[in-house]
Amino acid sequence: SELDEEEEEEYLQIPLGCVTKTGLARAGGRGGGAGDQVCTMMAHAGVSLHIRKLHEKNESSSFNNISSNNNDHSEVPDLSAFVQYYEGVEGFCGWHAENNPLKPWQLGKGMVVEHVVLKAGDVNEADSSAAISRAVGCTAVASCASVLSACYQRLTLGGYGANGVCLDSVAVIQAALDPTRRTTLYPILLFGAGRQELARSCAALINAVQKSSSSFAESCGVGGQRVARNAATVLDAIWKLPCDVAPSLDDLDDVCARMLASLPTMSPFALTSRTISDAKRVQALHVQLQSARTAPQNNT
Protein backbone atom coordinates (compact mmCIF):
# COMPACT_ATOMS: atom_id res chain seq x y z
CA SER A 1 0.00 0.00 0.00
CA GLU A 2 1.07 3.53 -0.67
CA LEU A 3 2.38 5.56 2.26
CA ASP A 4 0.32 8.45 3.45
CA GLU A 5 2.18 11.50 2.19
CA GLU A 6 1.40 13.31 5.42
CA GLU A 7 3.09 10.65 7.53
CA GLU A 8 6.67 11.37 8.49
CA GLU A 9 9.30 8.93 7.29
CA GLU A 10 11.22 7.06 9.97
CA TYR A 11 14.09 4.64 10.17
CA LEU A 12 13.34 1.11 11.37
CA GLN A 13 15.88 -1.07 13.15
CA ILE A 14 16.50 -4.46 11.58
CA PRO A 15 18.24 -6.93 13.94
CA LEU A 16 21.36 -8.32 12.27
CA GLY A 17 23.70 -10.91 13.73
CA CYS A 18 26.70 -13.05 12.84
CA VAL A 19 26.40 -16.82 13.25
CA THR A 20 29.36 -19.13 13.81
CA LYS A 21 29.76 -22.89 13.94
CA THR A 22 31.25 -24.13 17.20
CA GLY A 23 32.90 -27.32 15.99
CA LEU A 24 30.65 -29.33 18.34
CA ALA A 25 28.29 -31.90 16.88
CA ARG A 26 24.66 -31.53 17.91
CA ALA A 27 23.58 -34.35 20.22
CA GLY A 28 21.23 -36.59 18.27
CA GLY A 29 22.03 -34.85 15.00
CA ARG A 30 23.56 -36.15 11.78
CA GLY A 31 27.08 -35.48 13.06
CA GLY A 32 29.45 -32.53 12.88
CA GLY A 33 31.15 -33.96 9.82
CA ALA A 34 27.84 -33.67 8.01
CA GLY A 35 27.64 -30.02 8.99
CA ASP A 36 25.13 -30.61 11.78
CA GLN A 37 27.02 -28.57 14.35
CA VAL A 38 25.98 -26.45 17.29
CA CYS A 39 25.80 -22.87 16.06
CA THR A 40 25.78 -19.70 18.11
CA MET A 41 25.61 -15.95 17.68
CA MET A 42 28.87 -14.02 17.84
CA ALA A 43 28.87 -11.23 20.40
CA HIS A 44 30.87 -8.09 21.02
CA ALA A 45 32.83 -7.89 24.27
CA GLY A 46 34.39 -4.98 26.09
CA VAL A 47 35.66 -3.86 29.48
CA SER A 48 33.34 -0.97 30.28
CA LEU A 49 34.51 1.82 32.57
CA HIS A 50 32.19 4.48 33.97
CA ILE A 51 34.14 7.61 34.86
CA ARG A 52 32.58 10.12 37.23
CA LYS A 53 34.00 13.36 38.55
CA LEU A 54 32.39 14.35 41.82
CA HIS A 55 31.65 17.92 42.80
CA GLU A 56 32.05 18.09 46.56
CA LYS A 57 29.58 20.28 48.40
CA ASN A 58 30.66 18.99 51.78
CA GLU A 59 34.36 18.38 52.41
CA SER A 60 33.61 15.75 55.03
CA SER A 61 31.64 13.58 52.63
CA SER A 62 33.21 10.53 50.95
CA PHE A 63 32.80 8.63 47.72
CA ASN A 64 31.05 5.80 49.53
CA ASN A 65 28.14 8.16 50.27
CA ILE A 66 27.10 7.90 46.63
CA SER A 67 24.41 5.32 45.97
CA SER A 68 21.37 4.90 43.79
CA ASN A 69 19.10 6.03 46.59
CA ASN A 70 21.31 8.72 48.14
CA ASN A 71 19.14 11.56 49.45
CA ASP A 72 21.65 13.87 51.15
CA HIS A 73 23.18 15.01 47.82
CA SER A 74 26.46 15.79 49.59
CA GLU A 75 28.27 14.94 46.35
CA VAL A 76 26.85 15.34 42.88
CA PRO A 77 28.48 13.86 39.74
CA ASP A 78 29.19 16.74 37.37
CA LEU A 79 30.97 14.64 34.76
CA SER A 80 29.96 11.26 33.41
CA ALA A 81 31.77 9.34 30.68
CA PHE A 82 31.77 5.78 29.43
CA VAL A 83 34.80 4.16 27.79
CA GLN A 84 35.34 0.57 26.73
CA TYR A 85 38.48 -1.51 26.24
CA TYR A 86 38.70 -4.03 23.38
CA GLU A 87 40.54 -4.98 20.18
CA GLY A 88 38.78 -2.89 17.54
CA VAL A 89 38.24 -3.62 13.86
CA GLU A 90 39.72 -0.20 13.04
CA GLY A 91 43.13 -1.42 14.17
CA PHE A 92 43.51 -0.29 17.77
CA CYS A 93 43.51 -2.37 20.94
CA GLY A 94 42.75 -0.10 23.86
CA TRP A 95 40.14 2.23 25.33
CA HIS A 96 37.44 3.51 22.98
CA ALA A 97 34.50 5.82 23.52
CA GLU A 98 31.64 3.51 24.49
CA ASN A 99 28.80 3.89 22.03
CA ASN A 100 25.40 3.03 23.49
CA PRO A 101 22.83 3.94 20.83
CA LEU A 102 19.16 3.19 21.34
CA LYS A 103 18.99 -0.39 20.10
CA PRO A 104 16.59 -2.36 22.33
CA TRP A 105 17.14 -5.54 20.35
CA GLN A 106 20.88 -5.44 21.12
CA LEU A 107 21.40 -3.27 24.19
CA GLY A 108 18.01 -3.55 25.86
CA LYS A 109 17.10 -5.27 29.12
CA GLY A 110 18.17 -8.89 29.06
CA MET A 111 20.34 -8.39 25.98
CA VAL A 112 23.58 -7.32 27.69
CA VAL A 113 25.50 -10.02 29.55
CA GLU A 114 27.67 -8.81 32.44
CA HIS A 115 30.40 -11.26 33.43
CA VAL A 116 32.34 -9.38 36.11
CA VAL A 117 31.33 -6.13 37.81
CA LEU A 118 33.55 -3.95 39.98
CA LYS A 119 31.75 -1.15 41.80
CA ALA A 120 32.96 1.24 44.47
CA GLY A 121 31.14 0.25 47.63
CA ASP A 122 30.91 -3.47 46.80
CA VAL A 123 34.06 -3.88 48.90
CA ASN A 124 35.86 -1.39 51.08
CA GLU A 125 37.14 1.69 49.29
CA ALA A 126 40.82 0.72 49.34
CA ASP A 127 40.17 -2.74 47.90
CA SER A 128 37.82 -1.52 45.16
CA SER A 129 40.29 1.17 44.12
CA ALA A 130 43.10 -1.38 43.99
CA ALA A 131 40.99 -3.78 41.92
CA ILE A 132 40.07 -1.10 39.40
CA SER A 133 43.67 0.12 39.28
CA ARG A 134 44.87 -3.43 38.63
CA ALA A 135 42.31 -3.84 35.82
CA VAL A 136 43.41 -0.60 34.13
CA GLY A 137 47.07 -1.59 34.56
CA CYS A 138 46.47 -4.93 32.85
CA THR A 139 44.66 -3.26 29.95
CA ALA A 140 47.64 -0.92 29.54
CA VAL A 141 50.21 -3.68 29.10
CA ALA A 142 47.84 -5.84 27.02
CA SER A 143 47.28 -2.89 24.70
CA CYS A 144 51.03 -2.32 24.38
CA ALA A 145 51.59 -6.03 23.70
CA SER A 146 48.99 -6.00 20.91
CA VAL A 147 50.51 -2.91 19.30
CA LEU A 148 54.05 -4.28 19.57
CA SER A 149 52.99 -7.58 18.03
CA ALA A 150 51.20 -5.87 15.14
CA CYS A 151 54.11 -3.49 14.45
CA TYR A 152 56.74 -6.23 14.64
CA GLN A 153 54.86 -8.40 12.14
CA ARG A 154 53.66 -5.41 10.06
CA LEU A 155 50.09 -6.62 10.31
CA THR A 156 47.22 -4.77 8.69
CA LEU A 157 44.35 -3.38 10.79
CA GLY A 158 46.58 -3.28 13.85
CA GLY A 159 46.63 -7.07 14.02
CA TYR A 160 42.86 -7.47 14.36
CA GLY A 161 42.16 -11.16 13.84
CA ALA A 162 45.78 -12.29 14.12
CA ASN A 163 45.98 -10.89 17.65
CA GLY A 164 42.44 -12.02 18.32
CA VAL A 165 39.20 -10.06 18.20
CA CYS A 166 37.30 -8.08 20.84
CA LEU A 167 36.31 -11.24 22.71
CA ASP A 168 39.92 -12.43 23.00
CA SER A 169 41.28 -9.10 24.20
CA VAL A 170 38.64 -8.92 26.93
CA ALA A 171 39.05 -12.58 27.90
CA VAL A 172 42.76 -11.92 28.50
CA ILE A 173 41.89 -9.13 30.96
CA GLN A 174 39.22 -11.21 32.71
CA ALA A 175 41.62 -14.13 33.09
CA ALA A 176 44.38 -11.81 34.31
CA LEU A 177 42.11 -10.52 37.09
CA ASP A 178 40.95 -14.02 38.07
CA PRO A 179 43.29 -15.89 40.47
CA THR A 180 42.57 -19.14 38.59
CA ARG A 181 43.12 -17.43 35.19
CA ARG A 182 39.63 -18.46 34.08
CA THR A 183 37.42 -16.69 31.57
CA THR A 184 33.67 -17.07 31.06
CA LEU A 185 33.67 -15.63 27.52
CA TYR A 186 33.01 -17.60 24.34
CA PRO A 187 34.37 -18.11 21.73
CA ILE A 188 38.12 -17.63 22.25
CA LEU A 189 39.69 -17.47 18.78
CA LEU A 190 43.27 -16.48 19.64
CA PHE A 191 45.54 -19.37 18.64
CA GLY A 192 48.88 -20.38 17.16
CA ALA A 193 51.25 -17.69 15.94
CA GLY A 194 49.02 -14.85 17.13
CA ARG A 195 49.11 -16.11 20.71
CA GLN A 196 52.85 -16.75 20.52
CA GLU A 197 53.57 -13.21 19.32
CA LEU A 198 51.38 -11.62 21.99
CA ALA A 199 53.21 -13.67 24.63
CA ARG A 200 56.56 -12.62 23.22
CA SER A 201 55.50 -8.97 23.29
CA CYS A 202 54.57 -9.28 26.98
CA ALA A 203 57.96 -10.85 27.68
CA ALA A 204 59.64 -7.98 25.81
CA LEU A 205 57.86 -5.45 28.05
CA ILE A 206 59.04 -7.30 31.16
CA ASN A 207 62.62 -7.43 29.89
CA ALA A 208 62.58 -3.73 28.96
CA VAL A 209 61.44 -2.72 32.45
CA GLN A 210 63.98 -4.95 34.16
CA LYS A 211 66.87 -3.40 32.20
CA SER A 212 67.51 -0.38 34.39
CA SER A 213 69.63 1.24 31.68
CA SER A 214 66.86 1.29 29.08
CA SER A 215 64.96 4.49 28.30
CA PHE A 216 61.68 2.61 28.76
CA ALA A 217 62.66 1.59 32.30
CA GLU A 218 63.63 5.18 33.11
CA SER A 219 60.28 6.46 31.81
CA CYS A 220 58.45 3.95 34.02
CA GLY A 221 60.28 5.17 37.11
CA VAL A 222 59.02 3.78 40.40
CA GLY A 223 56.05 2.25 38.58
CA GLY A 224 58.31 0.04 36.51
CA GLN A 225 57.94 -2.97 38.77
CA ARG A 226 54.17 -2.58 38.68
CA VAL A 227 54.32 -2.61 34.87
CA ALA A 228 56.48 -5.74 34.98
CA ARG A 229 54.05 -7.47 37.37
CA ASN A 230 51.06 -6.58 35.22
CA ALA A 231 52.87 -7.78 32.09
CA ALA A 232 53.73 -11.07 33.78
CA THR A 233 50.09 -11.46 34.85
CA VAL A 234 48.81 -10.78 31.32
CA LEU A 235 51.42 -13.19 29.90
CA ASP A 236 50.18 -15.92 32.27
CA ALA A 237 46.58 -15.20 31.22
CA ILE A 238 47.48 -15.49 27.52
CA TRP A 239 49.33 -18.72 28.28
CA LYS A 240 46.38 -20.34 30.05
CA LEU A 241 43.55 -18.98 27.90
CA PRO A 242 41.44 -21.73 26.27
CA CYS A 243 41.17 -22.01 22.51
CA ASP A 244 37.81 -22.73 20.91
CA VAL A 245 39.03 -23.09 17.32
CA ALA A 246 39.40 -26.86 17.67
CA PRO A 247 37.84 -28.03 20.96
CA SER A 248 38.87 -31.40 22.32
CA LEU A 249 36.66 -33.87 24.18
CA ASP A 250 38.07 -32.66 27.49
CA ASP A 251 36.94 -29.14 26.58
CA LEU A 252 33.28 -29.96 25.89
CA ASP A 253 31.85 -29.10 29.29
CA ASP A 254 33.83 -25.87 29.69
CA VAL A 255 33.05 -24.79 26.11
CA CYS A 256 29.32 -25.30 26.65
CA ALA A 257 29.40 -23.58 30.04
CA ARG A 258 31.10 -20.50 28.57
CA MET A 259 28.78 -20.57 25.58
CA LEU A 260 25.74 -20.54 27.86
CA ALA A 261 27.26 -17.82 30.06
CA SER A 262 27.77 -15.59 27.01
CA LEU A 263 24.20 -15.80 25.71
CA PRO A 264 21.60 -13.17 26.67
CA THR A 265 18.42 -14.05 28.53
CA MET A 266 16.41 -12.36 25.76
CA SER A 267 17.10 -12.31 22.05
CA PRO A 268 15.26 -11.51 18.82
CA PHE A 269 17.03 -14.43 17.16
CA ALA A 270 15.41 -17.88 17.34
CA LEU A 271 18.87 -19.44 17.05
CA THR A 272 19.70 -18.35 20.61
CA SER A 273 17.08 -20.67 22.12
CA ARG A 274 18.29 -23.53 19.94
CA THR A 275 21.91 -22.88 20.97
CA ILE A 276 20.98 -23.02 24.65
CA SER A 277 19.14 -26.32 24.13
CA ASP A 278 21.96 -27.79 22.02
CA ALA A 279 24.67 -26.76 24.52
CA LYS A 280 22.83 -28.36 27.43
CA ARG A 281 22.36 -31.58 25.45
CA VAL A 282 26.07 -31.67 24.58
CA GLN A 283 26.89 -31.23 28.29
CA ALA A 284 24.66 -34.21 29.10
CA LEU A 285 26.33 -36.22 26.33
CA HIS A 286 29.73 -35.31 27.75
CA VAL A 287 28.74 -36.87 31.08
CA GLN A 288 27.71 -40.05 29.25
CA LEU A 289 31.01 -40.15 27.37
CA GLN A 290 32.94 -39.71 30.60
CA SER A 291 31.02 -42.58 32.18
CA ALA A 292 31.68 -44.84 29.19
CA ARG A 293 35.34 -43.91 29.32
CA THR A 294 35.78 -44.93 32.94
CA ALA A 295 33.42 -47.96 32.97
CA PRO A 296 35.97 -50.58 31.76
CA GLN A 297 38.49 -49.38 34.35
CA ASN A 298 35.96 -49.70 37.14
CA ASN A 299 35.20 -53.29 36.13
CA THR A 300 38.82 -54.47 36.25
Side-chain angles (χ1 to χ4, degrees), residues 22 24-27 38 252-253 256 276-289:
T22 64
L24 304 181
R26 296 181 63 236
V38 178
L252 289 182
D253 189 61
C256 291
I276 292 174
S277 175
D278 283 346
K280 290 180 177 180
R281 293 182 68 184
V282 170
Q283 283 182 313
L285 176 62
H286 181 254
V287 173
Q288 296 175 15
L289 293 175

Side-chain angles (χ1 to χ4, degrees), residues 70-95:
N70 186 22
N71 294 320
D72 61 11
H73 301 291
S74 58
E75 290 183 346
V76 180
D78 59 6
L79 172 67
S80 182
F82 292 87
V83 292
Q84 194 176 86
Y85 172 90
Y86 57 88
E87 179 94 37
V89 294
E90 80 289 337
F92 173 63
C93 179
W95 292 98

